[in-house]
Amino acid sequence: MTGPLLKIEKLEASYGHVAALKGVDIEVNAGEIVTLIGANGAGKSTLMMSIFGYPRAQAGRILYDGHDITRVPAHEIAKLRIAQVPEGRRIFSRMTVLENLQMGATVGEPTHFPKDIARVFKLFPRLQERINQRGGTLSGGEQQMLAIGRALMARPRLLLLDEPSLGLAPLLVKQIFRAIRELNERDKLTVFLVEQNAFHALKLAHRGYVMVNGAITLSGPARELLERDEVKSAYLEGGRPAA
Amino acid sequence: MTEQSAPAAAVPSRFPAALKSAALSALVAFGLFSLIVGARTDQGPTGALIVFPRLDDLAWLAGVVFAGSFLRTLLFGDAPLQVSRHFPSGVKRIGARLSRFAAPALLGFALIAPLLFYSNRYYLDLSILVLTYVMLGWGLNIVVGLAGLLDLGYVAFYAVGAYSYALLAQNFGLSFWIGLPLAGILAAFWGVLLGFPVLRLRGDYLAIVTLAFGEIIRLVLINWQSFTGGPNGIASIPRPSFFGLPFTDDEGGFAHTFGLEFSPIHRIVFLFYVILALALLTNWVTIRLRRLPIGRAWEALREDEIACRSLGINTTNTKLTAFAIGAMFGGFAGAFFATRQGFISPESFVFMESALILAIVVLGGMGSQLGVAVAALVMIGAFELLREFAQYRMLVFGFAMVLIMVWRPRGLIGTRVPSIFLRKEKELPSSMVAEGRR
Ligand SMILES: Nc1ncnc2c1ncn2[C@@H]1O[C@H](COP(=O)(O)OP(=O)(O)O)[C@@H](O)[C@H]1O
Ligand SMILES: [Mg+2]
């Protein structure tokens, strides 16, 4: 192994004149689950989107498998087997579950399709039951499953997830997170997880980063971060489940 | 059956709300109409403009609005009207069953229409007009209905097609069958040209730029006198021949060759089948493309551009092909228009045409092929029927649009038909079903 699968170096990005990322350094090693936590508006989604070039990085580099992908066009990124589940799921609501999954296979090998869809259905049997249902009529949890399933159809090596727990009931959050762990442990999928739900995210991840105002303030093994007072007081009060 | 679900007791309690909403509506109407209706300008004796107040008309209008709004709120409450709920479910079921047979029935009717209307030139001409708009609607449907790119300047491509064929035929003597594909290609080229600058625009911004594009093309046509003939247009554009046989009353003409008695209707019937074939080609290509990755990418683009990019769809190419293919069909229709009319001028390509085609697509249900065809039939047909009442045409037209949008906010046929559908699990490869059950 030569180095981290994803390495972000001193990344800066802004919307107009407003700086959103102020020199961010992050590393994700192959086989890891790495989580990025932070308050609303910290710049987590911006970081995730800038990997896909929207907004474009103004300074710094993004290295994937040792190659500089900072200036690669968005639609080429998926071909490098980086898949993204953007914030808010963004499934195609007028298309059926099956059609959504087909869209996920856009950059995939057509001959892999039956096998890949079987894998998604095994992970989320609920999707198979709804195969002909329109995406927009699915429940929030099912939509999240579909968004993840759609991303998996491209056979990614690196999966980027932006707040998969957003707006979901605790039971569903557990189910989704269990699926992420399964993907990581069984399929050796590398996962970069952006979350506000710090408690669950740090429980799941191997390592974590804390972002405040567009900069990383803390990082380390997830278990250690869970014990840090700064993390506890700032992010865990609301994130810890009731039971 | 379901007259009105609200009990009569609810009516009096709505009285204050009804009064309030009626007063508000009347005020809005008063404001809106105060200049449009309330004041009339006329030339005075010295030639200067004099403003006459027309307060009585204004009062009448405000009064009618007041009464209408009052009754509506009193009877139905102030929730949005859901007209379809008031239809008995039997009617709805029959409607659903009818719509399954509508497409074959319409196609069958279209195929035999020239025989039915053979002796009625007016109906033949009207059918050709309707089919032209069906084709334009289907073409624009690719851009607006499938790819979700709001294009208010579609008539520009219609114009490019018409002028391309007219100029090619006049200057180089090209026949219709060679001019037609060239007109389509040129229009597609202009589609890409429009596509580039608007790649980053969406929604209303895109609408404004495409609107301007349509006007620019029209203004160029008017002002480039030496090339396009300016406001006078281009006359004596060659009529189409029956694959080389002209529709004339002499040796070597169509009628003579086939041993028929000459009749000017032959050409009209031929034109009918040409536009029918062109429209069906548009439909067929659209249906095929919808099943291919590019068509699916258009539909995905319409729903979520960010998701498209993250799935590896090249949104630039996807948009440009939508503009190009939509424009190409507009260009075909334009070439047909030119050869049918024999005369074209910029007056045929005004914004109103773009608006009409867009209305057909929106009314049809944004993306539904059958819906667009029905909408074109209804709109163009109704427009013709109202020809005698020219004064009230736009009024009735606007009123009908409002009614349809209240009745069916997503257009006549608003549900998207999936382009792939699995009826039974057994149609899945067995490997996909064996596992996965809880
Ligand atoms: N499209 C945008 N245009 C302008 N500013 C934006 C845009 N998206 C996000 N921002 C701003 O950038 C900052 C970071 O936002 P974001 O990355 O969405 O944060 P997070 O995902 O951590 O909640 C915020 O201040 C937000 O207001
Ligand atoms: Mg976010």
Side-chain angles (χ1 to χ4, degrees):
Chain A
M1 193 62 227
T2 44
L5 184 60
L6 178 73
K7 187 170 160 76
I8 294 172
E9 290 178 354
K10 304 203 169 39
L11 193 73
E12 289 175 30
S14 62
Y15 296 104
H17 294 293
V18 187
L21 299 177
K22 303 160 187 167
V24 174
D25 290 283
I26 279 179
E27 284 184 13
V28 180
N29 297 309
E32 269 187 321
I33 301 179
V34 173
T35 187
L36 172 66
I37 59 176
N40 213 340
K44 308 182 295 295
S45 298
T46 306
L47 177 73
M48 182 156 284
M49 296 304 292
S50 67
I51 296 173
F52 275 79
Y54 282 83
R56 259 257 170 260
Q58 282 158 331
R61 290 200 305 168
I62 303 168
L63 299 173
Y64 174 69
D65 214 5
H67 302 286
D68 189 343
I69 59 164
T70 322
R71 310 256 147 229
V72 174
H75 62 269
E76 298 286 340
I77 301 278
K79 293 190 187 136
L80 303 170
R81 294 173 63 200
I82 304 178
Q84 182 194 34
V85 179
E87 187 170 15
R89 300 165 195 140
R90 295 185 177 274
I91 56 162
F92 302 116
S93 56
R94 282 163 61 100
M95 293 189 191
T96 64
V97 168
L98 180 60
E99 287 174 316
N100 266 281
L101 292 174
Q102 285 181 325
M103 293 309 299
T106 299
V107 297
E109 186 74 32
T111 52
H112 291 164
F113 185 79
K115 217 171 155 194
D116 291 348
I117 202 169
R119 191 170 73 125
V120 169
F121 286 157
K122 192 170 178 209
L123 191 65
F124 300 120
R126 190 71 82 81
L127 291 181
Q128 184 164 16
E129 293 163 20
R130 314 267 146 151
I131 189 160
N132 287 320
Q133 195 172 324
R134 274 164 226 282
T137 62
L138 297 174
S139 74
E142 290 161 352
Q143 290 192 2
Q144 188 61 59
M145 293 174 195
L146 181 55
I148 296 174
R150 187 177 66 179
L152 291 176
M153 290 301 289
R155 292 203 170 182
R157 287 177 68 194
L158 172 64
L159 179 65
L160 312 175
L161 294 161
D162 196 345
E163 301 209 27
S165 74
L166 194 72
L168 297 189
L171 210 64
L172 276 168
V173 175
K174 269 199 185 140
Q175 201 183 335
I176 298 278
F177 276 35
R178 205 183 309 130
I180 297 172
R181 167 163 292 153
E182 202 180 315
L183 285 169
N184 174 255
E185 286 176 355
R186 199 192 52 203
D187 302 345
K188 307 281 169 274
L189 180 64
T190 310
V191 178
F192 181 50
L193 170 69
V194 163
E195 261 299 341
Q196 272 195 68
N197 192 334
F199 178 76
H200 276 115
L202 289 172
K203 280 253 163 178
L204 174 72
H206 302 110
R207 292 189 303 114
Y209 291 85
V210 177
M211 181 180 262
V212 176
N213 268 328
I216 300 295
T217 55
L218 269 180
S219 66
R223 207 147 300 156
E224 282 174 28
L225 286 180
L226 262 176
E227 301 305 320
R228 295 282 287 254
D229 288 337
E230 306 96 297
V231 175
K232 270 185 182 161
S233 62
Y235 304 109
L236 290 185
E237 306 304 44
R240 198 188 291 274
Chain B
M1 210 168 105
T2 50
E3 226 325 288
Q4 179 43 247
S5 48
V11 171
S13 68
R14 291 206 193 110
F15 201 80
L19 263 187
K20 193 172 144 203
S21 100
L24 211 71
S25 311
L27 197 71
V28 171
F30 185 81
L32 266 179
F33 291 125
S34 62
L35 286 179
I36 301 173
V37 178
R40 178 200 165 101
T41 51
D42 246 330
Q43 283 210 333
T46 57
L49 282 180
I50 304 178
V51 181
F52 294 104
R54 291 199 298 187
L55 290 179
D56 45 345
D57 289 357
L58 188 58
W60 267 109
L61 268 176
V64 166
V65 169
F66 182 90
S69 168
F70 181 74
L71 282 177
R72 177 213 186 280
T73 316
L74 202 61
L75 293 178
F76 303 107
D78 41 16
L81 280 186
Q82 286 183 323
V83 185
S84 62
R85 215 183 41 204
H86 302 300
F87 281 99
S89 58
V91 172
K92 270 190 211 165
R93 223 172 308 126
I94 292 171
R97 203 166 304 157
L98 272 185
S99 72
R100 189 156 0 125
F101 299 108
L106 277 177
L107 180 61
F109 179 73
L111 283 171
I112 57 163
L115 305 177
L116 299 176
F117 300 144
Y118 191 76
S119 52
N120 193 328
R121 171 90 196 254
Y122 173 72
Y123 279 129
L124 266 183
D125 278 335
L126 183 57
S127 324
I128 290 175
L129 191 68
V130 167
L131 280 173
T132 310
Y133 280 94
V134 169
M135 176 168 184
L136 287 168
W138 278 339
L140 183 61
N141 191 34
I142 292 173
V143 185
V144 179
L146 293 185
L149 303 163
L150 186 50
D151 185 350
L152 287 184
Y154 191 62
V155 77
F157 307 120
Y158 191 37
V160 167
Y163 272 84
S164 298
Y165 168 63
L167 290 169
L168 284 170
Q170 282 214 323
N171 296 332
F172 303 104
L174 295 186
S175 80
F176 176 70
W177 295 109
I178 295 174
L180 179 76
L182 289 178
I185 290 168
L186 280 168
F189 171 74
W190 281 92
V192 173
L193 225 55
L194 165 69
F196 264 113
V198 301
L199 275 175
R200 292 167 163 275
L201 305 181
R202 277 200 83 80
D204 23 14
Y205 300 100
L206 177 63
I208 292 169
V209 176
T210 52
L211 175 87
F213 179 77
E215 285 302 287
I216 290 171
I217 295 278
R218 191 173 65 88
L219 290 174
V220 168
L221 292 179
I222 291 180
N223 290 300
W224 197 358
Q225 294 246 4
S226 58
F227 186 56
T228 65
N232 301 328
I234 300 174
S236 58
I237 299 166
R239 300 315 189 99
S241 57
F242 186 81
F243 305 101
L245 302 176
F247 289 96
T248 49
D249 188 12
D250 50 27
E251 293 276 329
F254 170 80
H256 203 269
T257 311
F258 286 89
L260 301 168
E261 194 168 335
F262 174 77
S263 157
I265 293 286
H266 289 162
R267 199 185 68 221
I268 311 295
V269 170
F270 178 65
L271 282 172
F272 178 92
Y273 282 116
V274 168
I275 187 64
L276 181 63
L278 285 173
L280 289 178
L281 176 76
T282 313
N283 183 36
W284 183 77
V285 169
T286 308
I287 290 174
R288 298 299 317 202
L289 286 176
R290 260 198 69 198
R291 301 213 180 107
L292 294 178
I294 181 66
R296 199 62 91 53
W298 289 337
E299 292 190 82
L301 187 70
R302 167 185 160 165
E303 297 201 29
D304 201 311
E305 199 169 335
I306 291 177
C308 282
R309 279 199 294 261
S310 62
L311 294 178
I313 294 169
N314 185 339
T315 51
T316 305
N317 288 354
T318 307
K319 282 186 191 183
L320 289 180
T321 45
F323 273 120
I325 294 181
M328 180 180 75
F329 288 119
F332 286 158
F336 174 81
F337 176 78
T339 195
R340 175 175 101 103
Q341 297 282 352
F343 164 77
I344 51 171
S345 79
E347 255 171 66
S348 305
F349 308 106
V350 291
F351 169 67
M352 187 58 211
E353 292 293 313
S354 291
L356 187 61
I357 303 164
L358 185 67
I360 287 172
V361 174
V362 173
L363 277 185
M366 296 277 268
S368 157
Q369 296 294 100
L370 178 62
V372 167
V374 173
L377 185 67
V378 170
M379 300 260 291
I380 305 303
F383 236 77
E384 274 306 308
L385 290 180
L386 288 172
R387 190 171 279 285
E388 289 167 44
F389 314 98
Q391 254 187 318
Y392 302 107
R393 200 153 117 177
M394 290 316 279
L395 192 68
V396 174
F397 181 62
F399 195 66
M401 292 271 277
V402 170
L403 273 190
I404 292 179
M405 281 341 240
V406 169
W407 176 43
R408 307 214 95 164
R410 289 153 164 263
L412 292 175
I413 297 178
T415 40
R416 173 185 173 277
V417 185
S419 49
I420 175 169
F421 197 81
L422 292 178
R423 245 172 311 267
K424 293 258 155 51
E425 272 166 18
K426 64 170 186 270
E427 287 180 34
L428 281 165
S430 55
S431 62
M432 291 160 64
V433 204
E435 325 157 76
R437 287 266 148 203
R438 269 179 294 193

